[in-house]
Amino acid sequence: MNLRDMIDKLSYSQVERFAQSTIWSHMDLEEWMKDSPLALDGVHAAWSKLSGQQCKVLATIVSRFGASPFLEEQLLQEADRGMTGSAYRLGLLSLAEAGIVFIVRKGWGERLYFLPRDMYFHWHRIIYERHTGVKPLAETAAFWSDRVTPPMLSLQLLHTLAELQRSGMKWTAKRLLSKRTIDRSAAHIMIKQCAALDLIFGSSSSPPLIGYPLPLAIVLDLAMRCHLLAAAPAAFFIQEKKLAEWLRLTMEEQEERLLRMVMEQYAVRCPSCAHAAARLSGLPMLQWFEIEIEDASAQHWCEWMADMGWMELAWSEGKQVFRWLVTPWPYERRKAAASDAHNNNQRIAIASDGNIYVPPYASSALRWQMEMIAEREQSESIAVYRMNVRSLKHAAGLGYTPQQIAELLEHASGERLPDLVYADLSSSMNNDALDMQRILNLGSDGSEQRTAALLHDPASCHLYEPIVDFPTGKSLFQGLEETPSNWLNQYRNYHHTTRRELLERALSWRISVKLQCGEDAVSFVPERIETAADGWAVVGYTEKTGDILHMRLEPAMWQEMMLEFPHPH
């Protein structure tokens, strides 16, 4: 669930109530409502307006739960003893009133709280902006690597979709792609089964349960979430209009969208992976950093990012180092790139032997066309394609004619097609083209189709309903109206029985009590009352000069006392 998911479930007036919180007074309503996530500078300004209590509660949520839903009681169990449970409860409520934390319910279950996934990464970056857990490598440091950097994920995705287009997308009786198509498609994916995937997906996404190798399932899942791939009753099909829109994006824009999706859809499922993803996303691109040996979560995340082609891994003086090859913060507000931004670098070269050389900065649209008419023989920095009888038969099935292919290649290369290549092209193609278009567009004529993702999302917005009727601060303190006012307002000496009643009330409300112990006035947080045959005692703690002091007090060990009520707003 991200911020836009929640806004879409709420009425205008409900969102307006969040946006009008004093925490967001620096942003107008329309900006707050249309932006998902909110701009980083706007979130930074909101952080500066939070009270110390709110900051502590939000930091606890970010560090302990990430973007995973949690119960109020779970938050209280993780509470820092430097602040009472009631302060945490009131802080949580005030964050919900400001639309920072949202309250939802799954069916008839208990109230759950969560940070929207996209906003989690914003809050994390602000809270831990100086604590990335890694240190930069000296410019003079030497490093080495025997690891080949794979194609970036956008290319792995494009190659996989092209293979599905060639091999066919019909399902077997088990509602899966054929084994041949699975094997051929998986061959284009460089993602390996690694520790990060084990932590994020666990056994629920093992191959026997999802029907596909997990790396292939992830790419198919991403394709469906990007609306490039959808499911009809008996097959997958490529959504041509969405694919055309995708191919018009620059590679940087594609990688940014995929990285954001990987962070928000996958990393957040495991708090340690989410934490690693968040803190490493604030680093600069192309600068080397050292991973601490004990930082397992960062190591796992870097391994996966390297498989996506987004990160380069190496070794320096026996320590693992890394650098980002893409912009690691996928929330930049970019201006639309000019359509001819890389035209001079996109020219393909066609050799007389028929080999087609595609440069690194070629557009995705050009690469897709090459995949449709030729077979890729090399996927290095410069990709090499070659047209043959099989690839041209496939192209004919898609409706290409020899003249169209020749014009495409001449336009992409800026040169006339070699005579020998044109002669081979004409002789290899015939007019008995298969009716491939109907097969490839199965389901796109309005028949039943499904664009839902392949991998189950345990925190999908469709599983939860928002709760917008918040409790009042005073309602958190059951029995407040019946509580004697002097317990709250007067520092008095009470009978031992009454002292126990005050402590029981403090325990139920999770508040502190003020005790006069000799000459010292102590703010004491009770944790439990112990009863024995000869009496009772209270166990708890107090804070002194930043240290937590555990205490066990019998009723005769203090004089005056009163409840320290937090007076909720």
Side-chain angles (χ1 to χ4, degrees), residues 72-144:
E72 182 188 71
E73 185 59 36
Q74 291 176 305
L75 174 65
L76 295 176
Q77 291 172 1
E78 297 289 343
D80 186 331
R81 284 185 166 179
M83 200 164 82
T84 64
S86 63
Y88 269 88
R89 297 183 74 197
L90 291 170
L92 179 62
L93 177 58
S94 66
L95 293 176
E97 291 172 340
I100 294 175
V101 172
F102 286 85
I103 310 176
V104 294
R105 177 177 283 118
K106 189 175 182 179
W108 296 99
E110 296 181 81
R111 288 172 176 251
L112 292 168
Y113 300 79
F114 78 97
L115 279 175
R117 290 172 170 179
D118 45 3
M119 295 307 301
Y120 159 73
F121 290 104
H122 284 66
W123 290 117
H124 190 289
R125 181 166 180 174
I126 291 167
I127 295 170
Y128 295 100
E129 60 183 343
R130 292 183 178 85
H131 301 87
T132 62
V134 296
K135 56 185 179 181
L137 200 64
E139 292 184 3
T140 56
F143 57 89
W144 65 272

Side-chain angles (χ1 to χ4, degrees), residues 200 239 294 457 542:
I200 291 169
Q239 303 203 85
E294 63 274 11
D457 183 352
T542 186

Side-chain angles (χ1 to χ4, degrees), residues 407-460:
E407 290 175 356
L408 185 161
L409 294 174
E410 288 179 345
H411 181 266
S413 65
E415 298 178 353
R416 185 175 180 275
L417 197 64
D419 292 340
L420 183 60
V421 175
Y422 187 80
D424 288 342
L425 178 63
S426 299
S427 63
S428 298
M429 298 186 74
N430 51 48
N431 295 321
D432 57 347
L434 300 174
D435 186 14
M436 291 286 288
Q437 194 65 31
R438 181 184 60 80
I439 297 172
L440 297 174
N441 285 322
L442 177 64
S444 60
D445 58 355
S447 61
E448 180 188 354
Q449 51 185 269
R450 178 172 57 89
T451 57
L454 182 67
L455 296 175
H456 170 67
D457 183 352
S460 169

Side-chain angles (χ1 to χ4, degrees), residues 230-483:
F236 286 123
F237 69 93
I238 290 174
Q239 303 203 85
E240 302 293 339
K241 290 184 179 180
K242 292 293 184 181
L243 177 62
E245 293 173 5
W246 178 261
L247 296 177
R248 283 195 290 269
L249 298 175
T250 65
M251 183 175 290
E252 290 82 1
E253 290 169 331
Q254 292 178 0
E255 304 302 346
E256 183 178 272
R257 293 191 185 191
L258 291 171
L259 175 55
R260 176 176 171 179
M261 198 167 289
V262 166
M263 290 167 62
E264 292 180 8
Q265 294 295 334
Y266 306 143
V268 294
R269 303 185 187 199
C270 167
S272 64
C273 288
H275 183 59
R279 58 193 172 92
L280 298 186
S281 68
L283 300 176
M285 179 181 168
L286 298 178
Q287 183 175 344
W288 287 100
F289 290 88
E290 177 186 314
I291 308 174
E292 296 294 339
I293 296 177
E294 63 274 11
D295 193 354
S297 60
Q299 292 175 1
H300 298 334
W301 185 249
C302 289
E303 285 286 342
W304 195 24
M305 294 298 97
D307 286 349
M308 306 278 199
W310 292 335
M311 191 178 279
E312 185 177 358
L313 299 181
W315 293 90
S316 178
E317 298 181 357
K319 294 183 178 180
Q320 192 170 39
V321 295
F322 71 92
R323 66 172 180 170
W324 283 103
L325 301 178
V326 297
T327 302
W329 180 249
Y331 299 101
E332 298 291 348
R333 312 252 166 157
R334 299 182 184 276
K335 295 182 179 179
S339 59
D340 60 347
H342 295 296
N343 270 357
N344 292 334
N345 296 324
Q346 287 185 12
R347 296 296 188 190
I348 64 173
I350 304 173
S352 58
D353 62 0
N355 279 354
I356 303 171
Y357 298 89
V358 180
Y361 293 105
S363 68
S364 296
L366 176 59
R367 290 178 183 275
W368 179 260
Q369 290 173 322
M370 294 300 103
E371 292 285 335
M372 295 301 100
I373 65 173
E375 288 190 358
R376 183 170 19 90
E377 296 187 341
Q378 177 179 308
S379 299
E380 302 296 329
S381 178
I382 296 179
V384 180
Y385 288 86
R386 188 175 185 84
M387 293 183 293
N388 55 33
V389 173
R390 182 171 54 236
S391 71
L392 292 174
K393 183 176 181 179
H394 174 258
L398 294 176
Y400 286 95
T401 66
Q403 184 62 32
Q404 287 175 327
I405 293 177
E407 290 175 356
L408 185 161
L409 294 174
E410 288 179 345
H411 181 266
S413 65
E415 298 178 353
R416 185 175 180 275
L417 197 64
D419 292 340
L420 183 60
V421 175
Y422 187 80
D424 288 342
L425 178 63
S426 299
S427 63
S428 298
M429 298 186 74
N430 51 48
N431 295 321
D432 57 347
L434 300 174
D435 186 14
M436 291 286 288
Q437 194 65 31
R438 181 184 60 80
I439 297 172
L440 297 174
N441 285 322
L442 177 64
S444 60
D445 58 355
S447 61
E448 180 188 354
Q449 51 185 269
R450 178 172 57 89
T451 57
L454 182 67
L455 296 175
H456 170 67
D457 183 352
S460 169
C461 64
H462 303 296
L463 302 175
Y464 299 90
E465 287 301 320
I467 296 175
V468 294
D469 296 324
F470 301 142
T472 63
K474 288 187 176 181
S475 70
L476 300 179
F477 303 93
Q478 189 173 5
L480 177 61
E481 299 299 329
E482 296 79 36
T483 302

Side-chain angles (χ1 to χ4, degrees), residues 179-223:
K179 185 178 185 306
R180 186 186 75 161
T181 300
I182 291 174
D183 291 342
R184 287 184 173 182
S185 301
H188 299 282
I189 300 170
M190 302 297 108
I191 302 171
K192 299 184 291 293
Q193 186 72 38
C194 58
L197 299 191
D198 294 337
L199 289 170
I200 291 169
F201 296 101
S203 60
S204 63
S205 293
S206 60
L209 293 178
I210 58 177
Y212 301 106
L214 185 53
L216 174 59
I218 290 171
V219 173
L220 294 176
D221 186 63
L222 287 169

